[in-house]
Amino acid sequence: MAEPVLQVKNLRTMLDLPGGPVPVVDDVSFDVGVGETLGIVGESGSGKSMTALSIMQVLPKPIGRIDSGHILLEGIDLVGISEQKIRQIRGREIGMILQDPHTSLNPVFNVGNQVTEALQIDNPGTPHKTLLARAVDTLKKVNVADAERRIHAYPHQLSGGMKQRVVGAIAIAGAPKIIIADEPTTALDVTIQLQYLQLLREIQDETGTAIIFITHDLGIVANLCHRLVVMYAGKIVESGTVADVFGAPSHPYTEALLKSVPSVDRKLDRLYAIDGQPPALVTNRAGCSFAPRCPYVLDICRIQEPLESRGPSGGASHCASCWNIERTT
Amino acid sequence: MLRFVLTRLSQMLVSLLVITFIVFSLSHLTGSPIDSLLPDDATPQQIASLTEHLGLDRPYYVQYLTFLQNAAVGDFGDSTKWKGSTAAEVVLERLPATLQLGGLAVLISVVAAIPMGVMSAVRRGSIFDRMAGVVALLGQSLPAFWLGIVLMWIFAVILGWFPTSGYGGLTYMILPAVGMAWFQIAALTRLTRSAMLEVLDTEYVKLARIKGVNERQVIWKHAFRNAAIVPITYFGVLAGSLLTGSVVMETVFAWPGTGLLAIDAIRGRDFPVVQSVVLFFAVFYLLANFLVDVLYAIIDPRIRYG
Ligand SMILES: Nc1ncnc2c1ncn2[C@@H]1O[C@H](COP(=O)(O)OP(=O)(O)OP(=O)(O)O)[C@@H](O)[C@H]1O
Ligand SMILES: [Mg+2]
């Protein structure tokens, strides 16, 4: 593979909570190649959004901070660069789509205003008329019907799917090299979801942009992504190509996640759920964080953190952090 | 938008009718003006003829309708205390002084409180934020008359920077205006701060940052435009309390405005003047709130098109 667009290396992000600093992203590393779609999956609270916000450096103020690690965009480290430089990266080099279209758009500005603002950052001093025309073009690219009229609409006058298209238009406005989509379809109806995913794929085909797709939905990952990383309690527990990971899930958590996807041919009379709760945020825990819920737990799992090892699929990039990949109980 | 304005205007008219009725009734509850107009040893005939002359013997609703009719053309009768002037003339003469002082106080409040509230929210937990918190606490716990006297004592008596009291230019206005603004700065700072904190935490502010918008525009364009709805709503209250505040400060600083006039008129049982002052306060308050509603609609499209 050519040089990746984005490389995240040993990223650690802390939140300074009242009880003390807590790592919400812990030693996370992954690459995203040109034109590639990487899925990040994991249950609620596993640190998916915090990973995305760390890359954008828009962590919740003032409690969030990147503690250590590197975020390389085409080889240039974004960690520790000035606020002014990172602002030039945001929107232009990296675009982002947030989860809830109903709250992502500013209620007091119309669509045209919010899209032109994103265009203007790339081209300061461009006459407003030109920008508006470009906004219309951008909206058309995300299949907003009647874009000439829609630029005058306010967010409350649009449907959820339409708003998310506008957010998508804002994300692609600066022609970014990579788009981070943080559960962009979770708040949409199923039919609208499919349209939106199709749209993302079209955008990728057309522009060659890389996509990081964050989701709970393994079905989407199977359809949309090339590779995926599985996060649990702030850490990546397994990573690899979709075929490898789905074919031979190596971490017990991935296995459980895959089992909990309802499917037609697997005749379950009740849905599979992973026992227990994801761990509460703590500063230091010994051993594997999944151990308390793991059906294959060994003694060593509770004492020492597992090292990353090659997955049984034999895939070159398939890795999992588990002491018991061979599943000897 | 036009429909919105017309609806608000008609609502205002209804409020005004209710207020005039209350004003009319109240002044008749505090005792008959006859007592203060005639000497104690007046004969029953004198009392009867004055009662008839003032129309006080007619049915209540007729008196009210007459009052309304006259009020519509600004006629509240002659002042009983300031002989030779109508009540409206007495009030109009004092109006500019009050508007000057109130206007300056509003200006000071807004100019001080909005940036302070916004910066407190942006730098939550900083030294600046904590100091602003102390200012807000002081502002809301000090009684206005006490503050007025202390300001006068420090800046007029000891330091001699401003005149102690009386009517005049800016130097005369500053102390009473600061005194009036004080409490409002505290309230407005706290309101602005909490509104900003809430808005700064929203997804659309996050998205603005993600777009690459610079921090100044994130704060003043994206966040403040939304947060402003709260302090603007308060502006209606502000206008009202600045008038009541003016009663205290005008008294302390002997500022010849309508506040001081109201006190004098009440003491002298000058019904026509009391009525016109109260009605003026009420109209002013209604207008301020109308303005608030319009501003509100200008800022928030959900109201404009709601
Ligand atoms: N503003 C905040 N204050 C305190 N804790 C937070 C805050 N934001 C996130 N967290 C905590 O950080 C951890 C990681 O959260 P994150 O939002 O990254 O999870 P996620 O994987 O995106 O979950 P979801 O699927 O629900 O979006 C969670 O335990 C969450 O409780
Ligand atoms: Mg999330």
Side-chain angles (χ1 to χ4, degrees):
Chain A
M1 190 171 47
E3 192 196 19
V5 195
L6 186 79
Q7 287 174 284
V8 174
K9 286 186 176 168
N10 309 101
L11 178 69
R12 209 167 125 93
T13 297
M14 310 288 273
L15 288 187
D16 292 316
L17 298 181
V22 165
V24 285
V25 177
D26 198 356
D27 198 19
V28 160
S29 304
F30 57 80
D31 293 354
V32 190
V34 179
E36 185 184 41
T37 303
L38 174 80
I40 301 183
V41 296
E43 64 201 314
S44 208
S46 54
K48 305 182 298 293
S49 296
M50 286 299 146
T51 305
L53 298 183
S54 302
I55 296 170
M56 277 299 191
Q57 301 192 22
V58 287
L59 288 162
K61 280 187 179 180
I63 57 169
R65 65 190 156 84
I66 294 177
D67 180 71
S68 57
H70 304 279
I71 298 166
L72 305 177
L73 180 75
E74 295 187 322
I76 296 162
D77 200 346
L78 304 185
V79 174
I81 67 171
S82 70
E83 171 66 22
Q84 194 184 344
K85 282 212 174 109
I86 189 73
R87 208 188 304 129
Q88 312 214 313
I89 305 270
R90 290 186 202 133
R92 290 190 210 183
E93 311 281 334
I94 313 178
M96 184 164 173
I97 301 168
L98 299 174
Q99 175 169 348
D100 186 357
H102 301 288
T103 56
S104 303
L105 293 172
N106 196 324
V108 303
F109 298 113
N110 67 23
V111 168
N113 194 317
Q114 302 195 47
V115 178
T116 49
E117 194 178 34
L119 291 163
Q120 190 178 23
I121 286 159
D122 227 359
N123 311 283
T126 315
H128 189 66
K129 262 213 164 123
T130 320
L131 285 175
L132 263 187
R134 271 192 225 162
V136 170
D137 288 345
T138 314
L139 286 169
K140 280 180 180 160
K141 277 189 207 154
V142 293
N143 302 341
V144 169
D146 211 0
E148 288 86 354
R149 242 165 25 95
R150 284 275 161 65
I151 54 168
H152 301 294
Y154 286 90
H156 75 279
Q157 297 166 322
L158 304 176
S159 69
M162 197 54 76
K163 281 187 230 183
Q164 197 65 313
R165 282 171 198 279
V166 174
V167 177
I170 290 170
I172 63 166
K177 301 191 172 80
I178 180 161
I179 295 174
I180 304 174
D182 188 357
E183 305 192 37
T185 58
T186 309
L188 303 179
D189 293 343
V190 181
T191 47
I192 311 288
Q193 275 189 17
L194 290 177
Q195 285 176 16
Y196 201 81
L197 295 173
Q198 186 55 37
L199 172 71
L200 283 178
R201 215 192 311 239
E202 281 166 20
I203 288 171
Q204 187 171 47
D205 287 346
E206 234 166 80
T207 61
T209 174
I211 294 178
I212 295 179
F213 196 94
I214 297 174
T215 180
H216 295 117
D217 190 335
L218 290 165
I220 297 182
V221 174
N223 278 314
L224 192 75
C225 302
H226 305 104
R227 286 188 309 123
L228 80 155
V229 296
V230 181
M231 282 189 79
Y232 185 79
K235 292 195 167 79
I236 291 183
V237 295
E238 182 160 0
S239 59
T241 63
V242 169
D244 287 348
V245 175
F246 278 57
S250 314
H251 196 283
Y253 178 62
T254 317
E255 191 181 302
L257 272 185
L258 281 166
K259 255 201 261 181
S260 56
V261 178
S263 90
V264 192
D265 42 272
R266 219 181 316 125
K267 293 206 177 59
L268 291 172
D269 26 45
R270 69 183 186 89
L271 291 177
Y272 181 87
I274 306 172
D275 284 336
Q277 294 290 315
L281 294 169
V282 282
T283 318
N284 269 315
R285 46 180 120 71
C288 170
S289 356
F290 192 59
R293 301 166 78 187
C294 183
Y296 310 109
V297 64
L298 303 174
D299 287 341
I300 189 174
C301 301
R302 304 190 198 278
I303 304 161
Q304 203 179 334
E305 208 174 308
L307 301 172
E308 202 169 63
S309 43
R310 288 283 292 275
S313 69
S317 63
H318 189 185
C319 293
S321 301
C322 179
W323 288 120
N324 200 359
I325 284 188
E326 311 305 326
R327 302 282 192 271
T328 52
T329 33
Chain B
M1 190 72 191
L2 187 68
R3 223 188 67 204
F4 174 84
V5 170
L6 289 178
T7 319
R8 284 289 180 281
L9 274 176
S10 55
Q11 284 169 354
M12 217 168 103
L13 221 60
V14 175
S15 311
L16 201 58
L17 273 179
V18 174
I19 289 165
T20 50
F21 186 72
I22 293 173
V23 166
F24 171 76
S25 305
L26 272 184
S27 57
H28 282 240
L29 287 177
T30 56
S32 169
I34 303 291
D35 302 342
S36 60
L37 286 176
L38 290 175
D40 287 345
D41 55 357
T43 64
Q45 283 86 350
Q46 282 175 310
I47 294 177
S49 82
L50 187 64
T51 306
E52 202 195 323
H53 176 68
L54 292 176
L56 294 173
D57 57 340
R58 285 179 293 164
Y60 201 60
Y61 74 92
V62 176
Q63 286 189 47
Y64 172 60
L65 286 179
T66 316
F67 168 77
L68 211 56
Q69 206 175 13
N70 294 333
V73 293
D75 177 10
F76 296 92
D78 293 338
S79 164
T80 53
K81 186 166 186 287
W82 290 273
K83 304 274 190 234
S85 312
T86 68
E89 278 166 6
V90 172
V91 175
L92 279 179
E93 193 198 337
R94 300 290 196 94
L95 210 54
T98 288
L99 291 182
Q100 276 167 20
L101 191 58
L104 186 63
V106 170
L107 195 72
I108 293 175
S109 317
V110 171
V111 166
I114 299 289
M116 201 149 84
V118 169
M119 286 335 274
S120 282
V122 170
R123 305 207 196 122
R124 170 174 32 171
S126 67
I127 295 180
F128 179 86
D129 182 25
R130 267 175 264 168
M131 269 171 30
V134 172
V135 170
L137 188 73
L138 280 180
Q140 296 207 294
S141 48
L142 301 180
F145 70 91
W146 184 85
L147 181 74
I149 291 167
V150 169
L151 282 176
M152 185 195 287
W153 182 59
I154 297 178
F155 293 100
V157 178
I158 297 183
L159 295 172
W161 291 354
F162 303 103
T164 47
S165 63
Y167 183 64
L170 198 61
T171 49
Y172 285 85
M173 280 159 66
I174 286 189
L175 288 184
V178 168
M180 280 162 70
W182 191 271
F183 179 90
Q184 307 307 339
I185 291 174
L188 207 53
T189 302
R190 276 194 359 195
L191 274 175
T192 308
R193 179 182 184 272
S194 62
M196 275 300 281
L197 278 181
E198 203 172 295
V199 172
L200 283 173
D201 219 31
T202 58
E203 295 292 291
Y204 57 82
V205 166
K206 193 193 276 175
L207 190 71
R209 291 205 174 100
I210 284 170
K211 276 197 236 177
V213 173
N214 69 45
E215 198 57 21
R216 211 185 66 222
Q217 284 204 31
V218 168
I219 292 166
W220 290 103
K221 181 180 168 190
H222 286 269
F224 184 67
R225 180 89 187 249
N226 280 277
I229 285 168
V230 175
I232 282 177
T233 307
Y234 184 71
F235 185 81
V237 182
L238 184 78
S241 37
L242 282 177
L243 287 174
T244 44
S246 76
V247 176
V248 177
M249 284 302 153
E250 286 179 7
T251 312
V252 171
F253 288 92
W255 182 264
T258 45
L260 201 58
L261 177 70
I263 302 277
D264 285 348
I266 291 169
R267 287 219 186 95
R269 281 263 173 86
D270 190 341
F271 274 9
V273 172
V274 172
Q275 281 176 339
S276 20
V277 169
V278 172
L279 215 55
F280 158 72
F281 278 14
V283 168
F284 185 81
Y285 194 77
L286 285 176
L287 276 177
N289 278 285
F290 171 71
L291 191 71
V292 165
D293 283 342
V294 172
L295 276 177
Y296 211 86
I298 289 174
I299 285 192
D300 194 337
R302 284 164 298 187
I303 297 169
R304 220 179 313 153
Y305 297 100

